[in-house]
Structure formats: structure tokens, C-alpha cells
Amino acid sequence: MQVVTDFFTTIYHELPPNSNDTVLDTQVLDSLPIELTSILLCVNANNLEIYTKSNIFTMLLQQILHSSSQHTIENIKSIQQYLLYHTESKSLKLLKPYILRLNAAELLSNSDARNLIHFFTQASFNKDKNTQNNEKQIDIKALCNELETIYKKLHELQLGNHIDTTLQTIYNNAKNHKFSIGITGVLSAGKSTFLNALLGKEILGSSTVPETANLTILKYGEKEYAKVYFWNKQEWLELEKTAQYDKGLQNFVQESKEIFGEKIHDFITQDTKSTEIPLNELSTYTSANHASKLCNLVKKVELFTHLKFLQNGVEIVDTPGLDDPITKREEITKDYITHCDLLIHVMNASCVATQIDIDFILESLLHQNISRLLVVLTRIDLISEKDLEQSLEYTKSTLAMQLRKSEYRGDIENLIERIDFIPLASFFALLHKIGQPQKAIDKGFNLEKTGIVAVEQYLDKMLLGEDSLKQKDIMYLAYRGFLKTTRNAQDEIALELKIFNASKEDLESMIENLKQENANLLERLHKKQNENKVKQQELEGFLDSLQNFVNKSLKSEQDKLRSRIYDEAIYEYGRNNTVSKERVLEILELGFSDCFSDLSREYKYKLAKKITQMFEEYTDKTQPQIIFHAPKTQIAQSLAILQDSVPRLIASHSKSNQEELVSKLDSKFQESFHLFGNAIAEKNKEIREKFLDYFKQIAQLQHDEIQEQIAKKENILHNTLAQREKSNAKDIRNSILHKQKELEGIVKELDYITNALQ
């Protein structure tokens, strides 16, 4: 049964047990109420110990297994396997509220709860298409209006400044939410032409050679103009430093200095200089083919236009090519992608799925915060329909195969489902948009066949439609925040009412209980702070072990590459031949490319996995942004050391003194590889410092939250006692009762909408 396989691969990352000797009381299992079914399906290796401390849970296992001692995870898996085989899918869909309760009671981690909810509601049970089409779509616009209405109602109830402030923050975040779409691809993939077609006018430069040399951010504006940002002095110094070891960058810097001379300082200033320009001057600053070469000095451009897709905080970013010879631009692209919600990756249909394309897509999907990926195959007008079909199939299968081969621990099939593909004839689409449709039609491309309509419909669904995924996510977060805050207000009102109605004896008891609750809160705070210290020590120990792993791997790769070079030299010495310098340089370049790419990928994977594992419970707090790319400056510098010294060393030795070559090569290889090791050490140091600050922030937040809870309850007690003594105490009590009744209705509505949005 597929659901069992899906469950075990999603939750345990393994296949279901093939053979099973566990004896289960199936009568007990078949008669379980849904609450107990949910508990058994939520147990895993991480929380089993917590569950076994519960008398109810151990008694349940005793009934199922006929033994109170068999509390192994293997037996739990056997129970789960049976339940999944014998429970109807419609019943499994009802588990969500019970999973949320277990999560709220801290019996299930946030990550496990999300995985289970997603699995039971989406991943394993596809709705019948006809049923799905007939279901009423969620009206996001109506929900936006309703959120505002609820916000006003809650504000009118005068629930206190702390409640009002929290609600206002949640409401403003929903109202002003930003959503970023990245347009990526290799040089000449057709990004600019695609964006021009989407804009409906030729704003961005496009030609058969690379055009856009800078990061271009499209934002909504009633007035159309562009804002150009230049490199600052510090950034330019970094470019010059890297240019010492990078031939392409060296030519770029040299060309810029020759063209601009002393005038270069008019643009590259201490602080980043910016200037506003009309759109018709844009190519002067962004085109790599413009005679001015100003694009060399420009870091990024913000372009303001009234494209409908850019409304409501959406921005689209046209990035430099991934294979841009100026590595700093490539780093800017990769850094931007870490803040991107949706990625549109553009490929030339005649040369799809290159290694650069595949590596970048895998990196973005597996390690960044990309929610969805749209692959646009451009220039489809230049190939036959049969070739297009083959290109499309090849791209889909290659991506799916590479994702399945990756070491990703999540739901790969769900990840693959979030990738869409649209073929596009960008130039003909642009002709339709700028009032020259006949030229496109004569070539057999009406507007729909160009593919631009499909792209617009995709963006409509993602950004603007009533079933907009972006808006749905924003609304869900807002309604969930309102629900949590309103429930807190309910608790406070209930406490006020309890104090108001209490007798003298009850009050004394309540005060004692309050003191005990405060003591428990302080004890909880102390426990959390100790847990933070343990996590901090764990992270520091992991970073040390990661550094050791890097050092050992570098030593191993260093020895392998040096041995290849040495063996090549010995072979040629033995034949009395001159060792080919070109051959030596080729071995070095290939060896470096493979070694550092693989090691960087492994470092990043181990680091991301550990941080996710350690901090999954802190999903509601903004974690430090850890960005790691293969340190190209150090790699270029390391390679330059060997390219400069190794051929000379080999040429200065022969068969008669070949033994001396080993130690001299060792010295140069150690010097070269040490630079990369230092780069990793610097990254580890940066991570240590960032997370040390993060732990301090968490500790302070936890302290403030606990103290706020204590102060809040004490304030409610004192204020309500004072209210009891007033002459209009009856009116005050009625006001509290009114608030309680209003909140009850609002909570029900918020709860219903929140569940509908999930």
C-alpha cells in the first residue's frame, strides 16, 4: 500500500519493515478512537521517551502488545504500519487538529508536526479532480477585508496596550508583506527578452550577446524611472584584490581603469552612490555592449514601473548570468536568492539543463528558501516541435533524477511537484505586446502559442488571483497570529472575571496559586537557559569537528593531486621527455575544480543539516542568515600559487634528482591548500559569533517573555482588585462579561478561517 511506504519515507526516511514478528492485538487497534490513533501515529524516535512517561500511553501499549516492557521504536513502527494499512484515508485527514494539540503540548516538535500535517492532508491522498474543481475556492480578497474588520473589533474591545501592539504588528506585516521573484539563468539564456515580453515594452537591453551586466530589481511605481547604485570603495577594493588571481576579473578592472581614469572616483565613492534616471537611459548603465562601459561600475539597478504583477509588495529581479566571468556578480545573484520566494529559471530550449543550470537549481531548491520553481524554456521558435518536446522531457527527467540522487532528507516527490515548466517564444511574445502581432502570426505564433499567456496565468495564480498561493500564505500567518493573541486575551479576561467573582477565601487561594505559577515559570526559564547553554556547546563542538573534517579532506585531496602531478613528472622523466606545462596546468585546474566544489557542497550540507536539527523549535524566531558559496577568491589564489610554481619546479628537476621534487611539491601544495582551509575557518568563526549573539537574543527573549507573563498576571490581579472596590463595580463586571462573549465569537471565527487556510 503506497500510503505506508510514503509515511515511512517521509517520517523515518526509510522503507517500511519487510518482516514483522511483533504480535499486535488487532481488536484493540481496530476499535481505537481517533484521538488515540493520532497519538500512536505521532510517536517517533525523538519523542518516544516522553510518551513512555505517560501512564495512559504505557497502558495503551500494554493492551496492544500484551506487555508493558515492549516500548521500542521498532514495535511503534509495527503499530503505525498496521494503523495505516487499516485506516481509511478520509479518517487520516481528520488527524490534523489532534496533531496540532500534541504540538501545542510540546509532545511533538514543530518540524514533525508540519511533516505529519502535510503528509495526511496533501502528500499521500490526492483529491479526485472533479471534486477538487467543484470545491469553493477561498476568497482571499474577502479574507483581507475580514481581517481588517476583526482587527477593528478587537481594538474597540480595549483589551490592553500589549494586545493592541501585537495585533497591530501582525496586521501591518500582512498588509506590507514583500514577495520576491528571482529571474536566473546562464549568460544569453534570454532573461531580458523574457522580462521585456512580460513588461510589454522593450525596457531591458536584449541581443544575441550578453546584455544585462547587473542585478536589476523591478518594483511597482506609478511613475516610471530607474535608480542606479554604483560599487562603493570597499567593494571595489575587494574586486581589485580578487583580480590578482582571476584573469577575467583582472581584465575587467584594468579595462575600467583605462576607460574612466581618475573619473572613476566620481562614481565609486566611500558610501554607495546612487542616481535616478529615466528608463530610456537604462541601457547606458546596464548594457555590457554600450560604449560608455558604465555597467562596469554599477552594482545594481532598481526599476520602477506599473506592471500589475508588482503590486502589493512584489518585486522581480533580473540577475546577471550564473556563468558571469565577474565572480562578484555571481555572488550577488546567489546572495539575493537567499531572500527569494519564487524562482523563475530561464534556459535556452536548444541547450537545456547544462551542469551550471542543474547545480544552481539543486542548490536553490535544497538549501534556500525557494517555495516554488518555474523553468522557462526560451527561443522555442528556433527549434522544431519534436526537438522542443525532447528538450522539455530531458529537462524534467534530469532535474527529477538529480533531486532523487541528492541527500535531501525531506519529501523529494513533493519538491518535484513544485517545479513547473513553460516553453516560451519571448521575441514573438514581445512583438504581440508592442503592437506588431502580424510579424509573429506570420511565423505561426499567435499570442497563446508564444507561451506568455501561460506565464501570466501562472503569476496570476501565484500572486494576484483569489486562490493566490502567496496571499493565502500571508493570510494564514496573519489569522494564526490573531488567533494566538486573541486566545491570550481570552485567558486574561477569564482571570479578571474569576478574580472579580471570587470570595475572600478564594482570593487568598488564587494569590497562592499565582505565586506558585510564577515560581513554575521561573523554573521553566532556568531550564530553557540551561538547554540553550547545552545547544551552544553542541554547536561549538560540531563546528570544531566540521573544521577537522575539512582539514582531513583537504589533506587527502592535496596528497591525491600532488601524487598525480608527481607521477606525471616521473613518467615523462623516465622517457627522457620534457613535461608538458599545458598538461600540468590542465591536471591542476580540473583537480581544483572537483576538489573544492565537492568539499564546499559537503561542508554546506553538513552545516545546514545540523542547524536545521538544532534549531527546529525556534522557527518563530529569525535565525542568523548563513550564506556560504565556494570561496572563489581563495580558490583562484590557491590555484595561482600552483600554476605559477609547479611547472617551474618540474622543469628544474629531472630523473637524477626526482626524489627532491616530492618535498618541494609538498611545500607548495600545503601553502596552496592552506588558503582554502583558512576560508572555512573564517566561516566557522563567523557562524560561532552569529549564533553566540543568537543564543544571547533567545535567552533575553525568553527572560522577557516569562517576566512579562508574571507581571501581566500580577497587574491583572491588582487592577481587578482595585476595580472591585469601585462604586460602579457592577458595570465593570458587565463590561468584562461583554468582552468575554465577543472574544468567544471572534476566536471561533479565527479558528475556522485558520483551519481553512492550512
PDB file of all heavy atoms in Angstrom, residues 524-549:
ATOM      1  N   ARG A 524      10.907  27.154  34.698  1.00  0.00           N
ATOM      2  CA  ARG A 524      10.902  26.842  33.262  1.00  0.00           C
ATOM      3  C   ARG A 524      11.938  27.685  32.525  1.00  0.00           C
ATOM      4  O   ARG A 524      12.635  27.203  31.627  1.00  0.00           O
ATOM      5  CB  ARG A 524       9.505  27.100  32.716  1.00  0.00           C
ATOM      6  CG  ARG A 524       9.325  26.780  31.247  1.00  0.00           C
ATOM      7  CD  ARG A 524       7.884  27.030  30.855  1.00  0.00           C
ATOM      8  NE  ARG A 524       7.782  27.260  29.432  1.00  0.00           N
ATOM      9  CZ  ARG A 524       6.766  27.864  28.841  1.00  0.00           C
ATOM     10  NH1 ARG A 524       5.769  28.319  29.565  1.00  0.00           N
ATOM     11  NH2 ARG A 524       6.719  28.014  27.548  1.00  0.00           N
ATOM     12  N   LEU A 525      12.042  28.952  32.928  1.00  0.00           N
ATOM     13  CA  LEU A 525      13.031  29.844  32.324  1.00  0.00           C
ATOM     14  C   LEU A 525      14.444  29.322  32.579  1.00  0.00           C
ATOM     15  O   LEU A 525      15.284  29.276  31.673  1.00  0.00           O
ATOM     16  CB  LEU A 525      12.883  31.267  32.883  1.00  0.00           C
ATOM     17  CG  LEU A 525      13.936  32.289  32.438  1.00  0.00           C
ATOM     18  CD1 LEU A 525      13.902  32.480  30.927  1.00  0.00           C
ATOM     19  CD2 LEU A 525      13.720  33.621  33.147  1.00  0.00           C
ATOM     20  N   HIS A 526      14.705  28.930  33.814  1.00  0.00           N
ATOM     21  CA  HIS A 526      16.025  28.411  34.183  1.00  0.00           C
ATOM     22  C   HIS A 526      16.360  27.168  33.353  1.00  0.00           C
ATOM     23  O   HIS A 526      17.488  27.004  32.869  1.00  0.00           O
ATOM     24  CB  HIS A 526      16.040  28.073  35.682  1.00  0.00           C
ATOM     25  CG  HIS A 526      17.360  27.562  36.166  1.00  0.00           C
ATOM     26  ND1 HIS A 526      18.494  28.353  36.206  1.00  0.00           N
ATOM     27  CD2 HIS A 526      17.730  26.327  36.620  1.00  0.00           C
ATOM     28  CE1 HIS A 526      19.513  27.636  36.657  1.00  0.00           C
ATOM     29  NE2 HIS A 526      19.075  26.402  36.918  1.00  0.00           N
ATOM     30  N   LYS A 527      15.363  26.311  33.154  1.00  0.00           N
ATOM     31  CA  LYS A 527      15.555  25.084  32.382  1.00  0.00           C
ATOM     32  C   LYS A 527      15.879  25.416  30.922  1.00  0.00           C
ATOM     33  O   LYS A 527      16.782  24.824  30.314  1.00  0.00           O
ATOM     34  CB  LYS A 527      14.284  24.228  32.458  1.00  0.00           C
ATOM     35  CG  LYS A 527      14.408  22.885  31.763  1.00  0.00           C
ATOM     36  CD  LYS A 527      13.092  22.109  31.870  1.00  0.00           C
ATOM     37  CE  LYS A 527      13.172  20.809  31.057  1.00  0.00           C
ATOM     38  NZ  LYS A 527      11.894  20.076  31.071  1.00  0.00           N
ATOM     39  N   LYS A 528      15.131  26.377  30.355  1.00  0.00           N
ATOM     40  CA  LYS A 528      15.362  26.770  28.966  1.00  0.00           C
ATOM     41  C   LYS A 528      16.751  27.369  28.783  1.00  0.00           C
ATOM     42  O   LYS A 528      17.428  27.122  27.781  1.00  0.00           O
ATOM     43  CB  LYS A 528      14.300  27.782  28.516  1.00  0.00           C
ATOM     44  CG  LYS A 528      12.958  27.152  28.158  1.00  0.00           C
ATOM     45  CD  LYS A 528      11.989  28.196  27.669  1.00  0.00           C
ATOM     46  CE  LYS A 528      10.682  27.576  27.195  1.00  0.00           C
ATOM     47  NZ  LYS A 528      10.832  26.861  25.925  1.00  0.00           N
ATOM     48  N   GLN A 529      17.199  28.162  29.756  1.00  0.00           N
ATOM     49  CA  GLN A 529      18.518  28.769  29.661  1.00  0.00           C
ATOM     50  C   GLN A 529      19.623  27.715  29.715  1.00  0.00           C
ATOM     51  O   GLN A 529      20.628  27.813  29.015  1.00  0.00           O
ATOM     52  CB  GLN A 529      18.692  29.810  30.768  1.00  0.00           C
ATOM     53  CG  GLN A 529      17.853  31.063  30.523  1.00  0.00           C
ATOM     54  CD  GLN A 529      17.877  32.048  31.673  1.00  0.00           C
ATOM     55  OE1 GLN A 529      18.156  31.669  32.808  1.00  0.00           O
ATOM     56  NE2 GLN A 529      17.562  33.299  31.383  1.00  0.00           N
ATOM     57  N   ASN A 530      19.413  26.687  30.535  1.00  0.00           N
ATOM     58  CA  ASN A 530      20.377  25.580  30.582  1.00  0.00           C
ATOM     59  C   ASN A 530      20.402  24.823  29.250  1.00  0.00           C
ATOM     60  O   ASN A 530      21.464  24.422  28.773  1.00  0.00           O
ATOM     61  CB  ASN A 530      20.039  24.615  31.722  1.00  0.00           C
ATOM     62  CG  ASN A 530      20.409  25.183  33.081  1.00  0.00           C
ATOM     63  OD1 ASN A 530      21.269  26.068  33.186  1.00  0.00           O
ATOM     64  ND2 ASN A 530      19.775  24.704  34.136  1.00  0.00           N
ATOM     65  N   GLU A 531      19.202  24.641  28.658  1.00  0.00           N
ATOM     66  CA  GLU A 531      19.122  23.964  27.358  1.00  0.00           C
ATOM     67  C   GLU A 531      19.860  24.768  26.291  1.00  0.00           C
ATOM     68  O   GLU A 531      20.537  24.202  25.428  1.00  0.00           O
ATOM     69  CB  GLU A 531      17.654  23.790  26.953  1.00  0.00           C
ATOM     70  CG  GLU A 531      16.917  22.722  27.748  1.00  0.00           C
ATOM     71  CD  GLU A 531      15.425  22.717  27.465  1.00  0.00           C
ATOM     72  OE1 GLU A 531      14.970  23.565  26.658  1.00  0.00           O
ATOM     73  OE2 GLU A 531      14.710  21.878  28.053  1.00  0.00           O
ATOM     74  N   ASN A 532      19.740  26.098  26.359  1.00  0.00           N
ATOM     75  CA  ASN A 532      20.449  26.953  25.401  1.00  0.00           C
ATOM     76  C   ASN A 532      21.959  26.812  25.533  1.00  0.00           C
ATOM     77  O   ASN A 532      22.693  26.786  24.535  1.00  0.00           O
ATOM     78  CB  ASN A 532      20.054  28.425  25.596  1.00  0.00           C
ATOM     79  CG  ASN A 532      18.636  28.707  25.124  1.00  0.00           C
ATOM     80  OD1 ASN A 532      18.090  27.956  24.320  1.00  0.00           O
ATOM     81  ND2 ASN A 532      18.040  29.765  25.617  1.00  0.00           N
ATOM     82  N   LYS A 533      22.442  26.728  26.782  1.00  0.00           N
ATOM     83  CA  LYS A 533      23.884  26.558  27.002  1.00  0.00           C
ATOM     84  C   LYS A 533      24.373  25.242  26.420  1.00  0.00           C
ATOM     85  O   LYS A 533      25.441  25.173  25.809  1.00  0.00           O
ATOM     86  CB  LYS A 533      24.192  26.615  28.501  1.00  0.00           C
ATOM     87  CG  LYS A 533      24.118  28.011  29.091  1.00  0.00           C
ATOM     88  CD  LYS A 533      24.362  27.998  30.595  1.00  0.00           C
ATOM     89  CE  LYS A 533      24.187  29.391  31.186  1.00  0.00           C
ATOM     90  NZ  LYS A 533      24.318  29.379  32.658  1.00  0.00           N
ATOM     91  N   VAL A 534      23.563  24.182  26.604  1.00  0.00           N
ATOM     92  CA  VAL A 534      23.928  22.864  26.060  1.00  0.00           C
ATOM     93  C   VAL A 534      23.974  22.923  24.527  1.00  0.00           C
ATOM     94  O   VAL A 534      24.903  22.399  23.903  1.00  0.00           O
ATOM     95  CB  VAL A 534      22.918  21.785  26.526  1.00  0.00           C
ATOM     96  CG1 VAL A 534      23.143  20.467  25.792  1.00  0.00           C
ATOM     97  CG2 VAL A 534      23.044  21.561  28.032  1.00  0.00           C
ATOM     98  N   LYS A 535      22.976  23.591  23.932  1.00  0.00           N
ATOM     99  CA  LYS A 535      22.940  23.725  22.471  1.00  0.00           C
ATOM    100  C   LYS A 535      24.140  24.522  21.964  1.00  0.00           C
ATOM    101  O   LYS A 535      24.725  24.206  20.927  1.00  0.00           O
ATOM    102  CB  LYS A 535      21.643  24.408  22.024  1.00  0.00           C
ATOM    103  CG  LYS A 535      20.443  23.474  21.954  1.00  0.00           C
ATOM    104  CD  LYS A 535      19.275  24.157  21.296  1.00  0.00           C
ATOM    105  CE  LYS A 535      18.040  23.276  21.269  1.00  0.00           C
ATOM    106  NZ  LYS A 535      18.185  22.159  20.334  1.00  0.00           N
ATOM    107  N   GLN A 536      24.491  25.564  22.699  1.00  0.00           N
ATOM    108  CA  GLN A 536      25.637  26.381  22.306  1.00  0.00           C
ATOM    109  C   GLN A 536      26.919  25.540  22.320  1.00  0.00           C
ATOM    110  O   GLN A 536      27.723  25.598  21.381  1.00  0.00           O
ATOM    111  CB  GLN A 536      25.774  27.564  23.276  1.00  0.00           C
ATOM    112  CG  GLN A 536      26.857  28.551  22.866  1.00  0.00           C
ATOM    113  CD  GLN A 536      26.894  29.748  23.804  1.00  0.00           C
ATOM    114  OE1 GLN A 536      25.875  30.114  24.385  1.00  0.00           O
ATOM    115  NE2 GLN A 536      28.050  30.334  23.968  1.00  0.00           N
ATOM    116  N   GLN A 537      27.103  24.746  23.370  1.00  0.00           N
ATOM    117  CA  GLN A 537      28.279  23.876  23.453  1.00  0.00           C
ATOM    118  C   GLN A 537      28.256  22.825  22.341  1.00  0.00           C
ATOM    119  O   GLN A 537      29.297  22.505  21.755  1.00  0.00           O
ATOM    120  CB  GLN A 537      28.319  23.189  24.822  1.00  0.00           C
ATOM    121  CG  GLN A 537      28.623  24.150  25.969  1.00  0.00           C
ATOM    122  CD  GLN A 537      28.337  23.540  27.340  1.00  0.00           C
ATOM    123  OE1 GLN A 537      27.885  22.402  27.444  1.00  0.00           O
ATOM    124  NE2 GLN A 537      28.603  24.297  28.390  1.00  0.00           N
ATOM    125  N   GLU A 538      27.038  22.320  22.049  1.00  0.00           N
ATOM    126  CA  GLU A 538      26.899  21.324  20.983  1.00  0.00           C
ATOM    127  C   GLU A 538      27.303  21.910  19.632  1.00  0.00           C
ATOM    128  O   GLU A 538      28.017  21.270  18.846  1.00  0.00           O
ATOM    129  CB  GLU A 538      25.443  20.841  20.932  1.00  0.00           C
ATOM    130  CG  GLU A 538      25.196  19.755  19.900  1.00  0.00           C
ATOM    131  CD  GLU A 538      23.719  19.381  19.779  1.00  0.00           C
ATOM    132  OE1 GLU A 538      22.916  19.805  20.645  1.00  0.00           O
ATOM    133  OE2 GLU A 538      23.378  18.674  18.808  1.00  0.00           O
ATOM    134  N   LEU A 539      26.855  23.153  19.345  1.00  0.00           N
ATOM    135  CA  LEU A 539      27.189  23.791  18.077  1.00  0.00           C
ATOM    136  C   LEU A 539      28.690  24.043  17.971  1.00  0.00           C
ATOM    137  O   LEU A 539      29.303  23.810  16.926  1.00  0.00           O
ATOM    138  CB  LEU A 539      26.417  25.106  17.925  1.00  0.00           C
ATOM    139  CG  LEU A 539      26.663  25.859  16.606  1.00  0.00           C
ATOM    140  CD1 LEU A 539      26.206  25.018  15.414  1.00  0.00           C
ATOM    141  CD2 LEU A 539      25.949  27.205  16.599  1.00  0.00           C
ATOM    142  N   GLU A 540      29.299  24.506  19.065  1.00  0.00           N
ATOM    143  CA  GLU A 540      30.736  24.780  19.043  1.00  0.00           C
ATOM    144  C   GLU A 540      31.526  23.487  18.811  1.00  0.00           C
ATOM    145  O   GLU A 540      32.502  23.467  18.061  1.00  0.00           O
ATOM    146  CB  GLU A 540      31.164  25.459  20.347  1.00  0.00           C
ATOM    147  CG  GLU A 540      30.628  26.890  20.448  1.00  0.00           C
ATOM    148  CD  GLU A 540      31.177  27.645  21.645  1.00  0.00           C
ATOM    149  OE1 GLU A 540      31.792  26.994  22.506  1.00  0.00           O
ATOM    150  OE2 GLU A 540      30.995  28.863  21.696  1.00  0.00           O
ATOM    151  N   GLY A 541      31.079  22.393  19.461  1.00  0.00           N
ATOM    152  CA  GLY A 541      31.730  21.102  19.253  1.00  0.00           C
ATOM    153  C   GLY A 541      31.577  20.630  17.815  1.00  0.00           C
ATOM    154  O   GLY A 541      32.522  20.091  17.220  1.00  0.00           O
ATOM    155  N   PHE A 542      30.387  20.855  17.245  1.00  0.00           N
ATOM    156  CA  PHE A 542      30.149  20.455  15.860  1.00  0.00           C
ATOM    157  C   PHE A 542      31.042  21.251  14.902  1.00  0.00           C
ATOM    158  O   PHE A 542      31.611  20.686  13.960  1.00  0.00           O
ATOM    159  CB  PHE A 542      28.678  20.671  15.495  1.00  0.00           C
ATOM    160  CG  PHE A 542      28.401  20.518  14.028  1.00  0.00           C
ATOM    161  CD1 PHE A 542      28.332  19.263  13.451  1.00  0.00           C
ATOM    162  CD2 PHE A 542      28.238  21.638  13.224  1.00  0.00           C
ATOM    163  CE1 PHE A 542      28.100  19.118  12.089  1.00  0.00           C
ATOM    164  CE2 PHE A 542      28.011  21.501  11.872  1.00  0.00           C
ATOM    165  CZ  PHE A 542      27.938  20.237  11.302  1.00  0.00           C
ATOM    166  N   LEU A 543      31.159  22.571  15.128  1.00  0.00           N
ATOM    167  CA  LEU A 543      31.999  23.394  14.250  1.00  0.00           C
ATOM    168  C   LEU A 543      33.458  22.950  14.312  1.00  0.00           C
ATOM    169  O   LEU A 543      34.173  22.963  13.301  1.00  0.00           O
ATOM    170  CB  LEU A 543      31.866  24.873  14.624  1.00  0.00           C
ATOM    171  CG  LEU A 543      30.507  25.515  14.299  1.00  0.00           C
ATOM    172  CD1 LEU A 543      30.437  26.930  14.841  1.00  0.00           C
ATOM    173  CD2 LEU A 543      30.247  25.519  12.797  1.00  0.00           C
ATOM    174  N   ASP A 544      33.910  22.549  15.505  1.00  0.00           N
ATOM    175  CA  ASP A 544      35.276  22.023  15.626  1.00  0.00           C
ATOM    176  C   ASP A 544      35.434  20.742  14.807  1.00  0.00           C
ATOM    177  O   ASP A 544      36.422  20.560  14.096  1.00  0.00           O
ATOM    178  CB  ASP A 544      35.618  21.745  17.095  1.00  0.00           C
ATOM    179  CG  ASP A 544      35.816  23.022  17.897  1.00  0.00           C
ATOM    180  OD1 ASP A 544      36.104  24.062  17.279  1.00  0.00           O
ATOM    181  OD2 ASP A 544      35.660  22.987  19.138  1.00  0.00           O
ATOM    182  N   SER A 545      34.431  19.854  14.929  1.00  0.00           N
ATOM    183  CA  SER A 545      34.513  18.589  14.181  1.00  0.00           C
ATOM    184  C   SER A 545      34.412  18.842  12.674  1.00  0.00           C
ATOM    185  O   SER A 545      35.042  18.146  11.873  1.00  0.00           O
ATOM    186  CB  SER A 545      33.406  17.626  14.628  1.00  0.00           C
ATOM    187  OG  SER A 545      32.136  18.091  14.224  1.00  0.00           O
ATOM    188  N   LEU A 546      33.617  19.870  12.285  1.00  0.00           N
ATOM    189  CA  LEU A 546      33.490  20.215  10.871  1.00  0.00           C
ATOM    190  C   LEU A 546      34.813  20.743  10.323  1.00  0.00           C
ATOM    191  O   LEU A 546      35.215  20.419   9.200  1.00  0.00           O
ATOM    192  CB  LEU A 546      32.380  21.260  10.699  1.00  0.00           C
ATOM    193  CG  LEU A 546      31.867  21.522   9.277  1.00  0.00           C
ATOM    194  CD1 LEU A 546      31.378  20.244   8.621  1.00  0.00           C
ATOM    195  CD2 LEU A 546      30.763  22.562   9.292  1.00  0.00           C
ATOM    196  N   GLN A 547      35.508  21.539  11.143  1.00  0.00           N
ATOM    197  CA  GLN A 547      36.821  22.048  10.731  1.00  0.00           C
ATOM    198  C   GLN A 547      37.812  20.888  10.570  1.00  0.00           C
ATOM    199  O   GLN A 547      38.598  20.853   9.609  1.00  0.00           O
ATOM    200  CB  GLN A 547      37.349  23.050  11.764  1.00  0.00           C
ATOM    201  CG  GLN A 547      38.651  23.733  11.360  1.00  0.00           C
ATOM    202  CD  GLN A 547      38.468  24.673  10.186  1.00  0.00           C
ATOM    203  OE1 GLN A 547      37.611  25.543  10.211  1.00  0.00           O
ATOM    204  NE2 GLN A 547      39.270  24.495   9.152  1.00  0.00           N
ATOM    205  N   ASN A 548      37.756  19.927  11.494  1.00  0.00           N
ATOM    206  CA  ASN A 548      38.640  18.752  11.391  1.00  0.00           C
ATOM    207  C   ASN A 548      38.340  17.952  10.127  1.00  0.00           C
ATOM    208  O   ASN A 548      39.258  17.479   9.450  1.00  0.00           O
ATOM    209  CB  ASN A 548      38.477  17.847  12.617  1.00  0.00           C
ATOM    210  CG  ASN A 548      39.055  18.474  13.868  1.00  0.00           C
ATOM    211  OD1 ASN A 548      39.955  19.317  13.790  1.00  0.00           O
ATOM    212  ND2 ASN A 548      38.544  18.096  15.034  1.00  0.00           N
ATOM    213  N   PHE A 549      37.036  17.812   9.820  1.00  0.00           N
ATOM    214  CA  PHE A 549      36.636  17.105   8.601  1.00  0.00           C
ATOM    215  C   PHE A 549      37.210  17.805   7.365  1.00  0.00           C
ATOM    216  O   PHE A 549      37.742  17.162   6.455  1.00  0.00           O
ATOM    217  CB  PHE A 549      35.107  17.036   8.520  1.00  0.00           C
ATOM    218  CG  PHE A 549      34.565  16.814   7.138  1.00  0.00           C
ATOM    219  CD1 PHE A 549      34.611  15.553   6.558  1.00  0.00           C
ATOM    220  CD2 PHE A 549      34.022  17.876   6.404  1.00  0.00           C
ATOM    221  CE1 PHE A 549      34.122  15.349   5.269  1.00  0.00           C
ATOM    222  CE2 PHE A 549      33.544  17.675   5.126  1.00  0.00           C
ATOM    223  CZ  PHE A 549      33.589  16.409   4.555  1.00  0.00           C
TER     224      PHE A 549
END
